[in-house]
Amino acid sequence: MSDTRVPRRRRYLVCEPRHFAVQYAINPWMRPDAPVDVDLAQAQWQALISTYRAHGHTVDIVQPAPGLPDMVFAANSAVVVDGRVFGSLFHAPERRPESTHYDTWFKTAGYDVYRPESVCEGEGDLVWTGRYVLAGTGFRTTREAHREVQEFFGHPVISLTLVDPRFYHLDTALFVLDDDNISYYPEAFSPGSREVLGRLYPDAVLATREDALAFGLNSVSDGSNVFIAPQAEALASALADRGYVPVPVDLSEFRKAGGGIKCCTQEIR
């Protein structure tokens, strides 16, 4: 069935984990007393970049800044739709300086950058589906930011409420497979949000609790290939049954900071 899925070449923005560490706790996954293996993190990140390029995707790299250990999580820096960049305003003071470095990269690359007035954490909570923006709230990005996003892009924004602090960003509980479908973990959402997702995506690929906790939903799809945590075995099998091609990439070291494949990947559209 995989030949029925057509991959699209993508452009990704990433940041080397040169200064990656867990120095504070701003989500349930983070434990400053648990050491990070920086060499392993580097090797896993390099493997992700090599895998993207091997599948025909373009990868741009932002230089990391000392003192910003979470800057590797490029997805939180912005959301880009049709060449328009909606920047970030982080909830945690520790991460707010990251925005300046990413804004500088986008501006140097020729983009105008909109700076939000409300707390907004980029693709962490704003997922472009090709028709509208699925927008998470509950722990980080605010509903006020959702309104800003709609005014800026002129596309409908559908607010979804996250209820489990382990899935503090939308991209830990949901990802887009292609123009028509998504995969998500229902229990990460409020009852009303589950109903909305069920109506919008009746054929969605649903993840188990185990796969969600393995960061299986912090995945990246090019419409055919799904770059996914190898620990999310049931989800990978379900995706293969639907004609997608799971491409395992282990970013387990980044889970110590509550991150994974998608967290490390900003898509430039």
Side-chain angles (χ1 to χ4, degrees), residues 11-83:
R11 183 183 180 192
Y12 298 131
L13 181 64
V14 300
C15 180
E16 180 192 352
R18 191 182 310 160
H19 308 295
F20 176 59
V22 179
Q23 297 176 348
Y24 43 77
I26 58 174
N27 67 57
W29 302 90
M30 302 180 84
R31 291 180 50 199
D33 60 336
V36 168
D37 186 332
V38 178
D39 291 338
L40 177 58
Q42 280 275 5
Q44 291 181 340
W45 182 84
Q46 289 288 352
L48 175 65
I49 305 315
S50 297
T51 302
Y52 282 153
R53 288 174 170 157
H55 284 79
H57 304 304
T58 299
V59 179
D60 292 299
I61 299 176
V62 173
Q63 290 302 308
L68 297 177
D70 283 341
M71 195 172 162
V72 63
F73 299 128
N76 304 151
S77 66
V79 60
V80 185
V81 178
D82 296 330

Side-chain angles (χ1 to χ4, degrees), residues 197-218:
L197 290 171
R199 292 175 188 277
L200 290 175
Y201 298 101
D203 297 320
V205 181
L206 303 183
T208 65
R209 177 178 178 273
E210 290 73 23
D211 285 336
L213 291 172
F215 275 62
L217 292 162
N218 198 243

Side-chain angles (χ1 to χ4, degrees), residues 18-238:
R18 191 182 310 160
H19 308 295
F20 176 59
V22 179
Q23 297 176 348
Y24 43 77
I26 58 174
N27 67 57
W29 302 90
M30 302 180 84
R31 291 180 50 199
D33 60 336
V36 168
D37 186 332
V38 178
D39 291 338
L40 177 58
Q42 280 275 5
Q44 291 181 340
W45 182 84
Q46 289 288 352
L48 175 65
I49 305 315
S50 297
T51 302
Y52 282 153
R53 288 174 170 157
H55 284 79
H57 304 304
T58 299
V59 179
D60 292 299
I61 299 176
V62 173
Q63 290 302 308
L68 297 177
D70 283 341
M71 195 172 162
V72 63
F73 299 128
N76 304 151
S77 66
V79 60
V80 185
V81 178
D82 296 330
R84 305 185 71 197
V85 181
F86 188 100
S88 62
L89 176 60
F90 286 93
H91 179 268
E94 293 92 339
R95 296 198 65 185
R96 289 194 172 182
E98 295 177 30
S99 299
T100 300
H101 296 279
Y102 280 100
D103 288 356
T104 298
W105 186 91
F106 279 113
K107 290 174 181 177
T108 301
Y111 296 89
D112 292 326
V113 179
Y114 174 86
R115 293 301 305 274
E117 297 177 3
S118 306
V119 170
C120 183
E121 300 202 351
E123 285 190 330
D125 277 323
L126 302 170
V127 177
W128 173 241
T129 68
R131 290 172 289 176
Y132 41 75
V133 178
L134 298 177
T137 191
F139 299 103
R140 299 290 183 84
T141 300
T142 65
R143 287 186 181 273
E144 290 75 17
H146 295 182
R147 289 191 282 271
E148 283 189 73
V149 169
Q150 182 163 282
E151 289 300 313
F152 180 73
F153 287 124
H155 290 293
V157 172
I158 298 169
S159 294
L160 302 169
T161 302
L162 298 162
V163 296
D164 187 329
R166 293 170 298 182
F167 308 110
Y168 59 94
H169 271 156
L170 186 60
D171 72 358
T172 64
L174 176 154
F175 74 99
V176 171
L177 286 164
D178 51 37
D179 290 343
D180 300 312
N181 210 2
I182 65 170
S183 179
Y184 69 100
Y185 174 52
E187 297 305 314
F189 297 91
S190 68
S193 296
R194 290 200 297 270
E195 286 194 30
V196 169
L197 290 171
R199 292 175 188 277
L200 290 175
Y201 298 101
D203 297 320
V205 181
L206 303 183
T208 65
R209 177 178 178 273
E210 290 73 23
D211 285 336
L213 291 172
F215 275 62
L217 292 162
N218 198 243
S219 295
V220 171
S221 172
D222 63 15
S224 175
N225 303 294
V226 179
F227 307 96
I228 187 171
Q231 297 83 5
E233 296 179 1
L235 180 56
S237 178

